[in-house]
Amino acid sequence: MKKQTKIDYANWIPAKLPTTLGVTGLLLALLFAASFLPAASVPVIILRIFFAAAALLTLAFFGYMARARRLLSYEGGGVQGKILDNVLRYLDWDGHGTLLDIGCGSGALTIKAAKKHPDARCVGMDYWGAMWDYAKNQCETNAELEGVAKRTSFQKGDAAHLDFPDGHFDAAVSNFVFHEVRTQPDKLALIREALRVLKPGAPFAFEDVFFSQKNYPDLNLLLETLSKEVTEIRFVDTRKNSFVPKLLKTPLVAGEMGLICGRK
């Protein structure tokens, strides 16, 4: 395996997605062109229309995802980093103690927290599933290159069953993770699990697709329920963030995001 020598936070849109769309779109375009080889007939014309429509839709989707990926990237629009900075902005923490980043991915939010709070220890956990361009050694190398390796650690785990005792952490953050946790479809239970490992009164800031009715069918009920279990909670409509371009404010990328923050 090639040794990582540069900071690599990857991209929330894996490279394989636009690549697959682009290749599929080109194949469909070729099939459309090939449909002119046989003599015209009703079945051939129907196939021709199908290939044309499928190629156009697939290539349009490819164009959107490629552009969105560029805007999110640290080398392009840098929106990923700005969204993570915003999560930390809503974490009301003095930086003393240990922070947990649930679903740390490439370690970007964990490392940002460590750099913002020089007295803190920061722990990142993730399942690191095969569909994402993230890995534990990638997090560790990024932390080393960013100069925070001694105050960060990363471990594999399941956000639905955190491998930490009750009341263990002084702060917790998470970004765009809860909706991806397949082992716990009940997102209220997932948030309760995140709160379980926090000390009483410890701050938290969790961003996710809270406006997705598929994942959060009754956001008001969720907030009302949680408000009875923590000392402080508020909801922020982060869809309105001015640093997120309109192109990304769709359900496919950042159009359903929101943030809950407060104290356990």
Side-chain angles (χ1 to χ4, degrees):
M1 180 181 293
K2 187 178 179 182
K3 181 176 174 57
Q4 179 185 338
T5 57
K6 296 194 302 183
I7 295 168
D8 175 16
Y9 289 126
N11 196 293
W12 295 346
I13 298 176
K16 64 190 78 167
L17 177 56
T19 300
T20 301
L21 288 169
V23 170
T24 304
L26 287 175
L27 288 174
L28 288 166
L30 287 173
L31 288 171
F32 169 69
S35 70
F36 285 90
L37 294 176
S41 63
V42 172
V44 168
I45 291 173
I46 291 174
L47 270 178
R48 194 175 292 166
I49 293 171
F50 169 77
F51 286 138
L56 285 173
L57 285 173
T58 306
L59 289 173
F61 193 29
F62 157 74
Y64 174 77
M65 297 309 287
R67 178 60 180 156
R69 179 178 158 81
R70 181 66 181 167
L71 289 170
L72 288 171
S73 76
Y74 289 83
E75 298 79 19
V79 175
Q80 280 186 199
K82 294 172 185 175
I83 288 176
L84 298 181
D85 287 334
N86 198 52
V87 172
L88 291 177
R89 191 164 70 86
Y90 283 102
L91 183 73
D92 184 16
W93 188 38
D94 62 8
H96 292 100
T98 305
L99 170 144
L100 174 65
D101 176 12
I102 301 168
C104 63
S106 62
L109 183 55
T110 316
I111 292 167
K112 276 184 177 291
K115 293 176 75 172
K116 182 175 182 178
H117 301 291
D119 295 324
R121 283 200 57 80
C122 298
V123 177
M125 63 75 52
D126 202 297
Y127 185 73
W128 291 302
M131 68 178 290
W132 301 105
D133 297 333
Y134 308 134
K136 180 184 177 185
N137 61 348
Q138 177 186 13
C139 296
E140 293 169 341
T141 302
N142 285 336
E144 185 178 347
L145 293 171
E146 293 276 23
V148 295
K150 292 183 179 178
R151 294 188 294 108
T152 56
S153 62
F154 300 92
Q155 67 182 67
K156 187 176 179 68
D158 181 352
H161 307 284
L162 293 170
D163 190 20
F164 304 104
D166 295 356
H168 187 70
F169 289 98
D170 299 282
V173 292
S174 185
N175 184 68
F176 284 153
V177 171
F178 295 154
H179 70 285
E180 296 286 358
V181 179
R182 303 290 188 263
T183 52
Q184 180 51 279
D186 181 349
K187 303 311 173 190
L188 174 60
L190 198 58
I191 295 170
R192 281 173 169 157
E193 176 63 3
L195 294 171
R196 178 186 66 77
V197 300
L198 277 177
K199 295 175 181 175
F204 60 87
F206 302 141
E207 185 159 59
D208 199 22
V209 291
F210 286 112
F211 287 99
S212 163
Q213 290 203 334
K214 174 186 172 186
N215 293 284
Y216 298 95
D218 193 334
L219 178 59
N220 290 331
L221 178 60
L222 177 101
L223 294 172
E224 182 183 346
T225 303
L226 287 173
S227 69
K228 298 172 183 173
E229 302 174 14
V230 298
T231 57
E232 175 188 331
I233 189 169
R234 68 186 177 111
F235 181 77
V236 183
D237 183 351
T238 48
R239 297 176 303 178
K240 298 176 181 177
N241 287 331
S242 59
F243 56 80
V244 178
K246 285 185 179 179
L247 186 73
L248 298 183
K249 292 181 177 180
T250 71
L252 293 172
V253 187
E256 295 182 328
M257 66 181 184
L259 182 146
I260 58 173
C261 57
R263 292 184 177 275
K264 179 178 175 182

